[in-house]
Amino acid sequence: MSLLGTYEDDDYRVEFGALVVRGFWPSGVGGTGELRHLNLPLLAEDAFAGGTRSDVARAGAGWVLGTAAAHAHVVLEAHDAPPGMDIGGWSDVLETPFLTARGEIKLAHGRGDDSPWHLKLARPGLHRVRVLRRRTSDGHRWLLRFWPVNGSPEAPRFLARSRPAVSTDGAGHGDKRYGPLAMDVLSAALWSPGRCTRAALAERLLATPEQIREALRYLTRRGLLRVGGTDEGPASTIALVPERPRPLNGGGPSAARAWPTAG
């Protein structure tokens, strides 16, 4: 394993509360081979732009969005293989798939004034990125490590959380406190077609099966997800099918292409 290159910005000014990393993926291009089962339009940066953010980060076809303080120190690293699991000292750690058609990334801003400086990755295509974040005296410090992977993408996984997956001080906020975890569940469903259990999702997202159940209800109530099968408990198998968000004009949701599931 070798480090191919780095990019560092010790004075990144966050816009709209989001750290933005972009890697080009052409609009409307579908997947082939190991990616053919993915609904790539739903992995576009703007597919769920109106939704709640993850507590840490989400990624898709050509983008990574992190939830950040107003000021951040950001380091991007390109590796040719999985880097060592040296996550000590980091409060939040997440791994997620990421797609790039050109094999390069750049640190950007919410308003679109992207950095002219590009970091070249090992190759175009499917990568995994380990997102590490910790609080500092004036904001956040971030380290994002990218490396190429083969085969079907593995769903996002949390390795550390600095606070519970669901806020415990959300009295009076109804189900909105499940929003960040719900977006993590949605990311898992987008990247990993097929059947799963609430227990497996809970282990992957460092949550409880009960929190996963409420996050699923949050998504289905908003028309962002269909759940197939009967949920008879944390170990029962269910199928998760993401759906396009409802149009802002109040029209009905447009269903995503159904995924094939195990018999």
Side-chain angles (χ1 to χ4, degrees):
M1 184 273 292
S2 63
L3 176 64
L4 303 177
T6 64
Y7 174 76
E8 182 172 3
D9 186 338
D10 62 2
D11 191 26
Y12 180 79
R13 299 294 171 166
V14 174
E15 297 175 349
F16 309 115
L19 178 145
V20 183
V21 176
R22 291 197 173 100
F24 177 74
W25 189 268
S27 176
V29 172
T32 59
E34 297 288 353
L35 303 179
R36 64 184 179 277
H37 57 296
L38 297 180
N39 192 325
L40 291 180
L42 293 187
L43 283 166
E45 183 177 348
D46 60 354
F48 297 93
T52 305
R53 291 179 182 151
S54 165
D55 267 338
V56 180
R58 297 178 61 237
W63 57 273
V64 181
L65 295 179
T67 301
H71 178 264
H73 184 138
V74 184
V75 177
L76 309 178
E77 292 183 354
H79 295 259
D80 61 5
M85 191 62 71
D86 49 342
I87 63 175
W90 296 96
S91 303
D92 297 289
V93 183
L94 163 73
E95 286 188 2
T96 179
F98 166 79
L99 283 168
T100 171
R102 293 176 178 164
E104 59 186 26
I105 56 174
K106 59 184 175 182
L107 193 58
H109 293 88
R111 299 180 190 275
D113 51 335
D114 299 350
S115 165
W117 198 93
H118 292 67
L119 176 64
K120 189 172 180 59
L121 301 182
R123 64 176 189 239
L126 180 64
H127 282 69
R128 197 158 181 86
V129 53
R130 185 177 302 148
V131 180
L132 305 101
R133 184 186 73 177
R134 66 169 175 258
R135 176 70 68 173
T136 63
S137 59
D138 62 345
H140 278 137
R141 184 176 180 92
W142 294 78
L143 173 60
L144 287 80
R145 290 175 159 167
F146 296 79
W147 68 92
V149 292
N150 298 313
S152 297
E154 179 194 346
R157 175 181 293 276
F158 275 84
L159 304 176
R161 282 188 184 270
S162 60
R163 58 183 185 178
V166 175
S167 172
T168 58
D169 58 358
H173 289 82
D175 73 343
K176 291 183 179 178
R177 63 196 182 103
Y178 290 95
L181 176 60
M183 298 311 290
D184 295 329
V185 171
L186 183 61
S187 287
L190 286 164
W191 280 113
S192 186
R195 298 178 178 236
C196 65
T197 66
R198 283 196 287 116
L201 276 173
E203 186 274 334
R204 180 168 290 278
L205 301 180
L206 297 185
T208 68
E210 292 73 25
Q211 290 170 338
I212 296 296
R213 180 186 60 208
E214 295 304 316
L216 290 171
R217 289 175 176 171
Y218 177 100
L219 292 166
T220 55
R221 276 194 288 262
R222 288 159 176 78
L224 304 179
L225 190 75
R226 283 188 289 117
V227 179
T230 302
D231 186 349
E232 298 176 339
S236 63
T237 300
I238 54 178
L240 307 182
V241 182
E243 308 224 300
R244 286 193 178 278
R246 292 187 179 95
L248 295 178
N249 62 11
S254 174
R257 176 175 57 85
W259 287 332
T261 57

